[in-house]
Amino acid sequence: MSVMGTRVVRVEDPRLLSTGGVYTEDLRDPRLTGALHLGFVRSPLAHARVVSVDAAEALAAPGVVAVLTAADLGLPAAPPMMPNFNPAMTLPALAGDVVRYAGEPVVAVLCEDAYQVEDAVGLVDVEYEPLPFVVDMRAAARDEVLLFPEAGTNTVCTFGAEELDEGLFEGCEVVVTREIENQRVAVASMEGRAGAAVPDDDGRLTLWLSTQAAAMSQGAVAGWLGLGPEQVRVITPDVGGGFGAKIGADPEHVVLAAAARHVGRPVRWTETRSENLVAMCQGRAQVNTVTIGGTRDGKVLAYRLDVLQDAGAYPRFGAFLPALTTMMAAAVYTFPKIETRARSVVTNTTTIGAYRGAGRPEATHAIERGLDLFAAEIGMDPAEVRRRNLIPRFTEPHATSTGGFYDTGDYPEALDRALWASGYDDLRAEQARRRERGDEVQMGIGLCVYVEITGAPLGPEASEVAEIQVHADGTATVLTGTSPHGQGHATAWAMLAHEETGIPIEKITVEHGDTDRIPDGTGTFGSRSLQQGGVAVQQASIELVELARQRAAQLLEADPSDIVLDKDRAALQVKGSPTSAVTFAQLAEKEPLGVKTKFVAPGPTFPFGAHVAVVDVDTRTGKARLRRLIAVDDAGTVLNPLLCEGQRHGGFAQGAAQALMEEVRWDADGNPETSTFASYPFLSATEVPSFELVEMATPTTYNSLGAKGIGEAGTIGSTPAVHNAVVDAVAHLGVRHIDMPTTPQRVWTAIQEAAR
Amino acid sequence: MIPAPFRYLRADSAAHAVDLLGEHGDEAKLLAGGQSLLPVLKLRLADPAVLIDISRVPDLSYIRVDGDEVAIGAATRHRDVVESEELRREVPLLPHVAGYVGDRQIRHRGTLGGSLVHADPAADLPCAVLALGATFVVEGPSGQRRVDAGEFFQGYFQTAVGADEILVEVRVPRTGGAGWAYEKFVRRSNDWAIVAVAAVDGRVALANMGETPLRATATERALAGGASPAEAAASAAEGTSPIEDMHADRAYRAHLARVLTERALVTAAG
Amino acid sequence: MKIGTTVNGAARQDEIEDRLLLVHYLRDRCGLTATNVGCDTTSCGACTVLLDGESVKSCTVLAAQVDGREVTTVEGLSADGADPHPVQAAFRQEHGLQCGFCTPGMVMASVSLLRDNPKPTEQEVREGLEGNFCRCTGYHNIVRAVLAAADGVSS
Ligand SMILES: Cc1cc2nc3c(=O)[nH]c(=O)nc-3n(C[C@H](O)[C@H](O)[C@H](O)COP(=O)(O)OP(=O)(O)OC[C@H]3O[C@@H](n4cnc5c(N)ncnc54)[C@H](O)[C@@H]3O)c2cc1C
Ligand code: FES
Ligand code: FES
C-alpha cells in the first residue's frame, strides 16, 4: 500500500517529546567542553558616534577572559549582498565609529560562565555621542538625516519604472488610491539565534549554528573571515524555528567565529529574547501606495503599485524584497495594465530580512486591500469584484506582465470553494441583520485570493541534492540538502524513500545540515523543500533501485529487465520466482550501496488559494476578535496531509497576528518599544480560533511529485483576509481603511473619524 | 537573562522577615511568589543585595472568615484565592479577579500580597481590593498597624508599606449577595489591563487610569443618587490622569473607562 | 548555598549560587536540557515544569526556592521513558509540535491543566495554555492534542 498522501505521524517526535531536541544551547559535545560564553554590549541609541570603549572594569570582573572591539577583531565590513545596492552601505561585524540602530553589537565579551557574561556586559563603559536619527522610512526617503553620509543618500536601490506613466488610468471610470502600510514585524522564532564555535588544531573552524541553510552560513562566515568555505564546517543542531531569519550569517555569528579563533578556545553564544527582538532581522516594513482604476461594473483596467521598503540600518535581504513584491504585483488577476516602482531606504532601525513569505505577502496584501477599496468605491461585493478579474483556470504556464510565470492554477475554483465552505451568503445575511439591529458587536467578512512564488532560486538554478545509502543491517540513511526546523523532513523524506524502495520508514534516518557530510546542499527557505529536496530524495531512491537492480541481476544471473522490486521485503527478485531474491541489505553487505543525485527544477512553482476571515468587532471599544478562518491553500499534490496542515495552521496564526496585533515599534527618541515578549504582542492560543481547512490540489508539472510549496502560503492569504474583515466590520459606519495592526485604539479612532 | 548576584535568605515567620529587613536595611527586598520581582531583577531594573523569601512562611498563607470580613494571609497564592470556597461565597469578586492575573503558571506562584505591594497601576487585584474597601495589616519593627485601602496605594508602584515593613494580611469585607462585576480590557488574554473596572455594591474602582488604582467617585455618587448605569458611567473618567502608551492614548483610555464601567454596572445590577 | 531537591523522582543535593534560576539548575546541574528558555519576561512558558505537581515557569523560580521540593520535567513524565504519557502520545498523534522548542513547556502546562480540569472544553484549553507561546503550530493541533489526551483517544 502506498504511503503517499497519508497521515504518517512524525518520526522526530518521540525524541522531541521526551528528552527534548538538541538545540544549539543544549549541545554537550566534548569539543565544547570548557567553552567560553560570548555576550554583546549593544548600542542603546539609534544613531551615535562611538567615542570610546573602556573595558577596564569588565576585564577585572570574575571570569572575564576578553573584551573585544571591532578593532581587536579586525574584521572588514561586509560588502552589500546585491550588485544593485549602494556600495557605500557596508555591514560591520561589530560597530566601529558609528552605531546605526539601537541594539547594534559594539563590543564582544567572553567569560568562563554564562552568568558572568551578563554581569560583565554591564561593566563595559561605552561613550556615545548621539547623532540625529531617522526611524521612519518616509522621513528617511527625504535624505535629511543620512545613515551613510558617504553614500550621499539613504536609498539603497530602486526597482521598476523610472518614470510613472501619466496616462496609466486614462479611460477609467473610477480610480482609488491609498497608502497602505505593511508594518514591520518580528520574526520571533521561539528559539532565538545561537551558535558554538571550535577552532580546530588544523586551522579549520567547526561551527554549530541555528540555521536554515548550513552551506550559506558556511559561505557567509568563511567569506567574512577571509577563509575558503572548506575551512569552515557548519553543523546544524535542532533548530527552534527560523521563518526566514536564519539564512546566511549575521554579524554576531561572524564575531562568534572570529572570537573563537582570536582566543583559541571554544566559544558559545545564545542571544536573549531582548536581544533577539532588536537584533535579529525583522520582516515586512513596506509602505505601499496602491492605485486601482476600472469601470463601475467592477473591471479593473489599470493597477499601480509604488513600494517604499524600509531596509533597516544595513541593507540585507530586506532591501531586495521589493523585487519579489513587484514581481507578484500581477497577482491572480487579468489587469490589462500594471505599473510598479520600488525604492528601498535605510533607517536607524533593526535590519530587515526575510520573514515567512518575504516580499510576496506584501504584494498580496497591497492588491487585496486595494481591491476592497475599489469594491467599496463602486459599491460591489468584494467577492464579485474578484470574480470579474480573476485569471481563468489554466494548465499551460501563464506569464504575467510583471515577470511571473505561473505553472498551473485555478483561482476561480479556489475562491468558490472558500466562499462555499464559509457559507458566504449566510455570513452576509447575518452581517446585514446585525447592522440593521445596530448591535454593539458587528461582524466583518474578509477575502483574499492569492498566488505566490515558491522554490525560487537564490542562485542560478532551482535545485537540491540528495543521497541515499543502504546499510548491511537493512537500515538506510538519507542525506538531504534541505534543513528542517519543524517541517518534518525526517518523516517526509523517509516516506519518499520507503515508497520507492520498500525499506521501512522506521529504518530510514535522515541527516541534514552538516557541510562536511552534505557539502553542496542548499537549505530550507522559500517553501522549496519538498518540491526540490523531496523530489531529489525520490529521484535518489529511484536511482538506488536501478543500481540495485543491476547488481541483483548480476548476482541472481538474470537479465536486469527481469528483476522486479518486492517492496514488502525491500528486496529485488527475479520476476515470477520469489525465492530467487536479494534484499537491499544483502546487496549492501557485498559492497557499499548508495547513490547521490541532484534534482534541478525547471523553475519555481506558484501555489495559490483563497481565504475567508470572519471577525467580530466590538464597535464601542474597537476590539476585533477573529472568529473563523476558512482557507483553501492549493500547493499541488500533498505528500503528508498532517505536515501540510501543520504548515498552514502556523502560517494562518502568523498572518492573522500581523493583521490584528504585531508591530515592532520605536518611540520618539528612537528607543525600541517592543523588545520583550511582555511588550511585543505575540499571540497566544486564546486569540485564534481553530481553523477551517478546505482541500484543493492542482499538481504542478514541474516535478514528479506534483508538489508546490506550502511553507508560507498560510501567512500570505490570512493577513489580507483578516485585515479586510476588520475593515468590513465597520464599513457600514463609513470606514474605508485602517492600517495594520488593527488595534482596538485604531479601530475605535477610525469609527470616530468616520462619524465626523 | 539573569539577575545580578544577591544573597538568598528564607524567613520562617513574619517577625523573622521584619528582623531580616531591619538587619539588611535598604539592601534587602522581600520575595514572595517572585512573579513580579524576578522579572524585574532579570531585566536588571533593580539589584537588591539580599532577597528575603517569605513564600514559605506557613502563617502568611490562609483564608478565613473573621466577623464581617475575610482575612487573607499576604503570601496566599492567586491559585488559592481563585479556588477558595469561602471567598467565592463571601467575596466572589476577589477570586474572580484573581483568575485574570497572568496565566496558570503565574497564579501557581504569585501571591495576593506580592501583587498588592508591587502596586502596578495596571494590575487586577489592587483595583479589586480598592473597590472592596479592604484593610491592610502591615507589620514592622514596632508591631502591626492597619491601613485603609484608600491610603494603601500611594503612587506609581508605591504603597504605604515601608521598606522595613511587611504586609501580613488583607481583610476584605464580606459582600455576600451584593452585585459585582469585573471588566478587563486587554489585547491578549494574559496581558495587564489597558483599562479595567471593578464594581461591587455601588463602589467602582479603575485600573490603569492613573498612577494608582482609583475609585470612580463621581460615578459612585451618581449611582447613589439613582442614576442608571449609562448615566453613572459617563463620569467614570473624571479626575483620572491615565498614561499614554502604545496601546492607548489618554482620550481612548477615558473612553474605555466609561464603556467598561457601564458594562460592569449593568452586570453588577444584573 | 546548599539545596536538596527531588528531580524526576531522584533525590539530590547541590551547592548552588544563590541567584541560580531553576531552569538553569535543571539544564546545567541536572543535565535535563529539554526545558528551554524562550524569553526574559516570564511570558512564553517554554520553561514550564511541575513544582510539587503544579505548572510553574522555571525561569522565574530560584533554585533556592525549590529546596526540599519536587520538580518534574518532560524527561520525567513517563516512567523510565517506556510508554509515553497520554499527553506526549497525543501531541505526536495530532501533530501538536513542529520545531519542538515550545513543546516540553507546552506538554508540562497541558499535564498540569488536565490534572485540574480533566475534561476541558476547547475554550478552557486555550485559556489554560495562555501562558505558553508557540510560533509554529498556530496552536490548532496543540489544542486538539490536549483535547484528545483528555478524551483518552491517544492513550
Ligand atoms: C507574564 C506576566 C503576566 C502578568 N499578568 C498580570 C496581570 O494580568 N494582572 C496582574 O495583576 N498582574 C500580572 N502579573 C503580575 C504578577 O502576577 C503579580 O504582580 C505577582 O504575582 C506578584 O506577586 P508575587 O508574590 O509574585 O510578588 P513578588 O514578585 O515576589 O514581589 C513583588 C513585590 O512585592 C514585594 N512584596 C511581596 N510580598 C510582600 C509582602 N508580603 N509584604 C511587603 N512586600 C512584599 C516584593 O518585595 C516585590 O517588591 C503578571 C506577571 C507576569 C510575569
Ligand atoms: S522562558 Fe520562562 S516564560 Fe519564557
Ligand atoms: S513547535 Fe515551534 S514553537 Fe511550538
Side-chain angles (χ1 to χ4, degrees), chain B residues 29-39 54 74 78 100-103 106 109-111 113-115 117-118 122-126 161 165-168 184 190-193, chain C residues 41-43 57:
Chain B
K29 263 223 154 282
L30 295 176
L31 172 70
Q35 302 303 291
S36 291
L37 184 57
L38 292 178
I54 57 166
H78 303 315
Y100 281 93
V101 175
D103 49 50
I106 287 167
R109 295 289 301 162
T111 66
S115 181
V117 179
H118 188 60
D124 299 297
L125 290 163
V161 181
E165 289 182 314
I166 171 174
L167 173 67
V168 290
K184 179 176 182 180
N190 74 338
D191 268 338
W192 283 263
Chain C
T41 47
T42 322
S43 311
K57 292 179 168 176

Side-chain angles (χ1 to χ4, degrees), chain A residues 189-191 239-241 243 485-486 682, chain C residues 96-103 106 133-137 142:
Chain A
S189 50
M190 283 304 295
E191 183 206 23
V239 173
F243 308 107
H485 41 285
F682 194 111
Chain C
L97 64 155
Q98 291 183 26
C99 78
F101 196 82
C102 71
T103 307
M106 201 62 90
F133 292 173
C134 175
R135 195 60 156 174
C136 298
T137 63
I142 290 174

